[in-house]
Amino acid sequence: MTLRTRKPRKKGEPTIALINIVFLMLVFFLIAGTVAPPLDERVSLVDTADLEGSPPPDTAVVLPDGTLVLRGEPITPEDLITAERTDPDLMRLVPDRDLPAQMLLEITATLREGGIADVRLITQRGMQ
C-alpha cells in the first residue's frame, strides 16, 4: 500500500484585508466630510456671473495685431519697460486669444532683455 502525499495548498490573495481597509477609508471620509458645519440658511451668496473684470493698473493688454495698450493708451515695448509701475521687476500682460504665439514671444523677449525679470501672462480660466 502506497501513501499519497498531499499537494500543498495555495494561499489565497488577502482581498478581505484590502476590502476592510477600503471600507474603513470610506467611513472615515464620510465622517470627516460632515464635520464642517453647513452654511447658515439665511446667507445669500454674492453672484459674480455678470461682474465685469478689469485688469490691474500695471497690466498691459496685447491686442491681436501685437499693439500694446497700457492704461488705455497705446505704448511700445521699449516705452513699457520704462513706464512707471508699482513693481519695476514685474510686468503683467493680458494677451488677446487671437494674438499669434510668435508675436507674444517676441514681446516678452523684448521686455526681459529690457530688464523686466518677471513677465506674467494673465489668462481666463475655463470653467467647464
Side-chain angles (χ1 to χ4, degrees):
M1 178 186 234
T2 60
L3 293 174
R4 289 186 181 170
T5 58
R6 289 188 181 180
K7 292 183 180 178
R9 282 180 111 182
K10 291 185 178 179
K11 243 185 173 178
E13 294 291 324
T15 55
I16 298 297
L18 183 62
I19 291 171
N20 287 340
I21 290 171
V22 171
F23 179 72
L24 289 174
M25 288 175 59
L26 176 67
V27 170
F28 171 78
F29 286 117
L30 284 173
I31 292 172
T34 59
V35 170
L39 191 61
D40 193 335
E41 296 170 0
R42 298 171 292 177
V43 174
S44 178
L45 297 176
V46 177
D47 183 18
T48 60
D50 298 327
L51 190 65
E52 287 188 30
S54 62
D58 289 344
T59 301
V61 177
V62 188
L63 300 177
D65 62 353
T67 305
L68 284 164
V69 179
L70 180 66
R71 298 179 189 106
E73 298 294 325
I75 191 168
T76 65
E78 292 77 17
D79 292 336
L80 187 60
I81 294 167
T82 59
E84 186 177 329
R85 296 185 306 276
T86 54
D87 186 355
D89 293 332
L90 173 65
M91 186 69 233
R92 292 181 185 95
L93 294 177
V94 179
D96 189 276
R97 84 173 58 213
D98 296 328
L99 177 72
Q102 184 61 36
M103 200 174 291
L104 180 62
L105 289 174
E106 291 170 5
I107 293 170
T108 56
T110 303
L111 295 175
R112 288 194 176 154
E113 289 169 2
I116 299 177
D118 191 5
V119 178
R120 296 184 187 176
L121 299 179
I122 309 297
T123 62
Q124 180 180 5
R125 176 180 289 188
M127 302 298 274
Q128 298 174 5

